[in-house]
Amino acid sequence: MSNFVVGIGGSGAKLMQALIHLGAAGMMPANRTGVTGLLVDPDESNGNVLDCLSLEKAYQDCKRQLKVGKTDLFAADISLTGPWTPLVDPKVDTLKKIFHYNQLAATDSEEAQLMDLFFERQELDLSVIKGFRGRPAIGAAVFANSVDFGKPGVWKEFRSSIKTSSSASAPHVLFAGSVFGGSGAAGVPTLSRLLSNHLKGDVINARFGLILFLPFFQFQQVEGEAVQADPASFPMATAEALKYYDDQNFLQICNSIYAVGEEVPAEMSVPAVGAKEQRNEAHFIELVAGMGAIRFFNDKLQSGDSLAVAGREKDSTLPWNNGPT
C-alpha cells in the first residue's frame, strides 16, 4: 500500500528529506512502506531540492547494496519525481508573459484590469524562475494556470497512480510546504484543492493530509534584490494563511492537518532568494514534521475529529517523548 507526498518549495523538499531518512531507519508503517514523492518548485535549481534529489539517489544506492535479511532498514520503497515546475518556457517567466498581459491591456479587458487590481507593477514584472519571493498570490495564479490532470505529464501520472492504488486500499495523499513563504504558501492550498477536486467520483476512499510549516527560520536580506521574502512579515503572513485555511474549510477536504513551527527561529547562515545557494541547514522541526507524516500514513492511528498537540517540556531540550506519537 502506498503513500503519496507532494513536497512544495524548499520546506516541502526538506520534509521529503526527513521522510527518506526515516525510511532508511525502518520507521515507515509496516503495511505502508511505499512512498511516491513529487517535488514541486518553480526554481528547479533550488539548493534544498537538489539536496533532496541527491539524498534519494543515495538511498536507492544503499538499498541495492543492502543484503536481504530481517532488518527493517531501507525497507521502504521510495520513488521521487521532479521537480515539477509550472513554467513551461523559461523565457515566459513573469505574470505579464504567462497571462499575456500586454495583449489584454491593449484591449482594456477585464482580465488586465483584475491583474492591475491584485498585483503591483513590480510583481507583474517579477521573474519567478527563482521562486515567488514570498508572494503567494503570484504563485497561486501561476500554479492554477499550469496544472493539467488531463494532459500527459507529471500530474496525470501522479493522479493515475493514486487511482490505481485505491483499488487495494485507501491512498494517503500528503501535501507539505510552508505557510509563510512563496512556493509552499501558494502551492499547498492550491494544489491540494485541485487534486482533491479531480479525484472526486474516481477515488472515494482517498485520505488527504497537510504538513504546514510555520516560521522556524529567519535570514538577513539579500543585497541587490528589489523583491524578496521578508522574515519580519512571516508572523502576519502565517496568521493570514491559517485564517485562510479555516475560512476555506480545509478540514472538510483533509483528514489531518499538522502545523509545526518554532518559537525561536533559527538563523540561516547563507541568505539567498533561490537557486543552488538556497540550502537551508537541517532543523529538528523537519524531523518532527516527518514523524507527523508517518503518523498520518499509519492506518492504526487514524481517528475521528480530534486535536493533538505536541510541544517541548523545556525550551532547551527535545526528548523523543515530546514529538508526535
Side-chain angles (χ1 to χ4, degrees):
M1 293 184 280
S2 292
N3 308 300
F4 298 87
V5 181
V6 182
I8 305 168
S11 295
K14 298 291 276 186
L15 178 277
M16 193 66 217
Q17 281 185 265
L19 280 177
I20 294 172
H21 283 294
L22 290 167
M27 294 186 66
M28 289 294 171
N31 65 329
R32 283 188 173 273
T33 59
V35 178
T36 300
L38 170 61
L39 297 181
V40 172
D41 202 310
D43 182 5
E44 294 180 273
S45 61
N46 179 284
N48 295 317
V49 171
L50 296 179
D51 285 348
C52 186
L53 293 172
S54 177
L55 179 64
E56 190 263 347
K57 182 179 183 301
Y59 179 91
Q60 304 299 351
D61 290 342
C62 290
K63 186 177 176 68
R64 283 191 291 269
Q65 293 296 323
L66 189 67
K67 294 181 180 179
V68 177
K70 295 182 179 180
T71 179
D72 290 329
L73 299 179
F74 294 91
D77 293 317
I78 298 174
S79 64
L80 187 59
T81 303
W84 174 82
T85 171
L87 302 179
V88 178
D89 182 347
K91 295 181 180 179
V92 183
D93 61 340
T94 67
L95 286 179
K96 273 189 173 181
K97 294 176 181 178
I98 293 170
F99 291 98
H100 310 290
Y101 173 86
N102 290 338
Q103 295 91 315
L104 295 173
T107 59
D108 196 28
S109 71
E110 291 184 359
E111 290 88 346
Q113 293 175 20
L114 284 172
M115 292 180 70
D116 287 332
L117 177 64
F118 289 116
F119 299 102
E120 299 176 3
R121 186 68 51 180
Q122 191 178 43
E123 293 174 327
L124 290 173
D125 290 321
L126 174 69
S127 172
V128 297
I129 288 227
K130 292 185 179 181
F132 302 120
R133 314 291 183 92
R135 304 296 199 276
I138 296 176
V142 174
F143 279 132
N145 181 67
S146 304
V147 174
D148 189 342
F149 293 99
K151 182 180 179 181
V154 169
W155 286 108
K156 184 177 181 179
E157 293 172 5
F158 195 73
R159 181 187 182 280
S160 296
S161 296
I162 296 173
K163 183 178 178 181
T164 300
S165 72
S166 67
S167 61
S169 64
H172 292 190
V173 187
L174 183 69
F175 290 81
S178 73
V179 302
F180 56 88
S183 298
V188 171
T190 304
L191 298 177
S192 61
R193 188 177 288 276
L194 285 173
L195 182 58
S196 63
N197 286 341
H198 276 270
L199 286 173
K200 283 181 180 178
D202 289 337
V203 182
I204 61 174
N205 60 346
R207 299 184 65 88
F208 288 91
L210 305 180
I211 296 284
L212 304 179
F213 284 92
L214 311 185
F216 66 97
F217 65 85
Q218 61 186 1
F219 48 83
Q220 300 298 316
Q221 293 291 281
V222 181
E223 294 184 6
E225 295 287 346
V227 181
Q228 57 185 294
D230 180 9
S233 68
F234 287 173
M236 182 177 293
T238 298
E240 290 299 317
L242 295 178
K243 184 176 184 297
Y244 174 82
Y245 279 103
D246 182 47
D247 291 343
Q248 297 300 312
N249 297 315
F250 269 81
L251 281 173
Q252 300 298 317
I253 300 173
C254 300
N255 300 90
S256 300
I257 297 178
Y258 295 85
V260 296
E262 167 65 343
E263 186 176 2
V264 182
E267 185 76 29
M268 294 295 104
S269 59
V270 181
V273 297
K276 63 181 181 180
E277 290 78 16
Q278 186 177 345
R279 274 189 162 92
N280 295 355
E281 293 90 340
H283 194 286
F284 73 84
I285 280 296
E286 297 151 10
L287 174 61
V288 173
M291 293 171 66
I294 289 176
R295 189 179 190 277
F296 170 69
F297 296 153
N298 196 334
D299 295 292
K300 296 180 180 180
L301 294 178
Q302 301 301 332
S303 59
D305 295 337
S306 63
L307 173 65
V309 179
R312 288 192 288 181
E313 296 176 12
K314 298 180 180 179
D315 289 342
S316 59
T317 60
L318 185 69
W320 280 108
N321 60 5
N322 284 179
T325 57

